[in-house]
Amino acid sequence: MLCCRATEPVVEAEVDVEAGMDGSGDAVSDAKASSIAEQLMQNPEVLSAIETKLAGMADVDSSPSAHMKNLPKPVIRRVKALKKLQFDMIQMESKFYEEVHQLECKYAELYAPILEKRNEIVSGEVEPTDEQCDWPSDEEDDEEAALAAETKEKLALEDVSAEDIKGVKSFWLIAFKNVDLLASMIQENDEPILEHLTNVKVQFSAEPMGFTLEFHFSPNEYFTDKVLTKSYEMRAEPDEEDPFSFEGPEIVACQGCVINWNKGKNVTVRVIKKKQKHQKSGTTRTITKEEQQDSFFNFFTPPAPELDEEEIDHETEALLQADYEIGHFIRERIVPRAVLFYTGEACEDDEDFEEEEDEDYEDDDEDDDLDPSCNNAGGEGKKECKQQ
């Protein structure tokens, strides 16, 4: 210990300190305190002891796996056996997810006739019978009236008679705009095009594992394509380099499609005109340049990463991750439950949810004195979609 190896000057200083604390209670002067510190720092043994102590503190491992270093060899041997069993479990889990995907492929064919009937009603090809429309509502009459009024306002049908309405106008556009994840992608220039979106389908692929999103459009002035596609490739096997990170199937690649835009109708770019002046002759010319701009239809041209994953920059990686999440959400939630997103039933009122949170935080503040800044309140009336 440091106190056991103190030199004579240190002892004298300690005596002086005790002497200084006489009946008057006066502390040692700043000058004498500085002298003591200087004497300590000049002592090689003291400096060596301090360095050893600091080095020991820096080497302390506080990670969750720190205890593994001190385990006896027989215990470490058993832990390795447990990890091998864990790997066997992951291999079995991988097979489980492969069979789940096979079931998805099977039931996709069984869902197809039901989804086709949905499309016929939405497009107006078929008028449902009274029996088909006999579905009870869980909402109060005033809520139904409010919903009907809101839908009527959105579709601008005030001056249109019921006989002139065909199908369910703007079905997919409204369903998309009710999802925050997609609403942020849809720009003003996109909406007239998405009015022509008649259906969204999911085509599953067993080998290789994956799925394709099909966006069907009615004839329009913007592009000549009838169907736009986005394909996703999935992997259900654990990573060879890090098998214990496996948490189920993941999207590993995606591919969009070329959109054949009509001249002057490409909403993913904007045309900028610039004038250039010739330095010698003084003549001017006008050049046009295209710049990328935000649009929902950029969804069909995802970033193309390098083959070596280590070369992917953080921005590209973040864009791809967001793209995968959007594709998965459309496949898993929107397509199977489109009518509930159209009506807003698949979404919850964020304002009501926040009121409950505020009450909980107030209770916690009274009991635990929590920081009120933890309450991340959003904008009033904003709607978020349930993604559980």
Side-chain angles (χ1 to χ4, degrees), residues 68-84:
M68 291 293 297
K69 298 178 181 179
N70 301 320
L71 290 178
K73 288 185 178 181
V75 177
I76 293 177
R77 183 171 176 273
R78 294 165 196 148
V79 170
K80 287 184 177 181
L82 293 175
K83 292 181 76 172
K84 188 174 181 180

Side-chain angles (χ1 to χ4, degrees), residues 203-220:
Q203 302 293 348
F204 288 90
S205 169
E207 188 61 39
M209 178 185 288
F211 63 93
T212 298
L213 300 176
E214 295 181 353
F215 296 77
H216 294 252
F217 289 85
S218 61
N220 59 81

